[in-house]
Amino acid sequence: MKLYSQRAIAIATYFGGPLAAGILIRKNFINLGKEKQGLNSLIIGILSTLLIFYGIFQIPESILDKIPNALIPLIYTGIIYLIVENLQGQELNKHKEEKNEFYSNWKATGIGAICSVILIGGIFAYAYLSPTDWDVDKYDSGLKKYNENEQVAMKLFDMLERNSKNEIVLFIEKTGIPKWEECIEILNEMNTIENIPQDFQKQNQLLLEYSKLRIEAYELISKAIFNETSEYDEEIIKRHKRIDEIINEL
């Protein structure tokens, strides 16, 4: 008769959560002739897994980002190690003293890895298939309008090569800047969406700064072209440098 050691169960638990622990503890109980306790262990392992990941999903992203990746697995692995000591410690020590065989740690690791794949699949299903608590359609619609306005306003850079001074200045004043101003209005409307996730709030703030910089740059380009001067070149370059930084962040 073989059993899984406490070390093997701990390794599997770290990778596969309480689900892996439940499977290995159940196998030990079955081999010890305690099938009912084995079934209870598996059920508790499944329920514990669901509770842990439900709890994780309830933690705000701003707090979760500050928690080291290894901390949560270490906590539940430590707790399960103590539970195994309480439930099967005597039998495992006796098994070792009598020089009986244990299942390999590699086998336990493999079970942990399989459970981790199951858990990752469950997390993705929960994250992407469960209904959202914020108006995604409204956000997507706003972003689509923003992109349409941006495409129109960015035609300025094609015009710089082939259009006359008057056409360029007129485009900036009548089309370019108004389109960027509409973009700012769109972003302000998107910011009123309730329960909008923090990542999307950050994106909106970057897009807002980006739009304002575009307006400032367009105003400077208009002055430079109208007055036929390079006086504003440094200020234009400064704004485009920050624009490039924002694009990289986005």
Side-chain angles (χ1 to χ4, degrees):
M1 181 185 69
K2 290 184 180 181
L3 296 174
Y4 285 102
S5 67
Q6 277 183 271
R7 176 181 168 79
I9 295 171
I11 292 170
T13 303
Y14 183 82
F15 291 108
L19 175 61
I23 291 170
L24 301 193
I25 294 169
R26 174 179 177 269
K27 183 65 176 176
N28 278 358
F29 272 130
I30 289 172
N31 289 352
L32 291 167
K34 301 177 181 180
E35 291 193 17
K36 185 177 179 181
Q37 286 174 273
L39 179 61
N40 290 340
S41 299
L42 181 61
I43 292 170
I44 292 169
I46 293 169
L47 292 176
S48 299
T49 301
L50 293 173
L51 286 171
I52 286 170
F53 284 97
Y54 175 79
I56 290 171
F57 275 114
Q58 302 310 305
I59 299 172
E61 286 185 38
S62 57
I63 297 174
L64 200 59
D65 288 342
K66 297 176 182 177
I67 299 174
N69 292 336
L71 182 60
I72 294 174
L74 283 172
I75 290 171
Y76 62 64
T77 298
I79 292 170
I80 287 172
Y81 187 90
L82 294 174
I83 291 172
V84 173
E85 175 65 32
N86 184 56
L87 293 176
Q88 298 179 346
Q90 290 183 354
E91 286 91 344
L92 292 173
N93 288 332
K94 183 180 177 183
H95 195 75
K96 184 178 180 180
E97 287 169 4
E98 293 176 354
K99 297 184 179 180
N100 291 316
E101 286 189 81
F102 287 90
Y103 291 109
S104 72
N105 290 342
W106 286 112
K107 184 173 183 178
T109 304
I111 292 171
I114 292 168
C115 290
S116 72
V117 171
I118 295 170
L119 294 176
I120 290 168
I123 290 167
F124 272 99
Y126 178 86
Y128 291 101
L129 301 180
S130 60
T132 57
D133 58 354
W134 63 288
D135 196 339
V136 178
D137 291 336
K138 185 176 178 180
Y139 186 89
D140 287 343
S141 176
L143 202 58
K144 183 180 177 182
K145 290 178 185 175
Y146 182 97
N147 289 332
E148 288 170 355
N149 279 4
E150 182 182 34
Q151 287 175 13
V152 173
M154 293 294 283
K155 289 179 180 178
L156 167 67
F157 296 97
D158 292 328
M159 297 176 66
L160 292 174
E161 298 294 328
R162 51 186 172 78
N163 288 68
S164 68
K165 177 178 77 172
N166 290 337
E167 287 174 331
I168 294 170
V169 172
L170 186 65
F171 177 85
I172 290 173
E173 292 178 356
K174 298 297 183 182
T175 303
I177 291 175
K179 285 295 180 184
W180 289 119
E181 288 172 343
E182 283 180 29
C183 285
I184 290 172
E185 290 176 8
I186 291 167
L187 290 168
N188 287 333
E189 180 64 25
M190 289 162 65
N191 282 331
T192 63
I193 298 172
E194 291 186 7
N195 300 320
I196 183 170
Q198 189 176 11
D199 287 345
F200 291 93
Q201 291 178 32
K202 183 180 178 182
Q203 176 174 272
N204 283 1
Q205 290 305 312
L206 287 170
L207 287 172
L208 198 60
E209 184 184 354
Y210 169 83
S211 302
K212 290 176 179 177
L213 285 166
R214 284 293 188 193
I215 290 174
E216 292 174 11
Y218 275 37
E219 288 172 343
L220 291 167
I221 291 169
S222 178
K223 289 178 183 178
I225 290 172
F226 184 78
N227 296 314
E228 297 182 353
T229 178
S230 59
E231 179 185 347
Y232 303 100
D233 286 1
E234 188 176 339
E235 289 298 316
I236 293 169
I237 291 169
K238 182 179 175 182
R239 280 157 180 80
H240 278 111
K241 185 179 178 182
R242 176 56 187 155
I243 285 169
D244 288 340
E245 290 173 354
I246 292 172
I247 290 170
N248 287 331
E249 286 186 60
L250 288 166

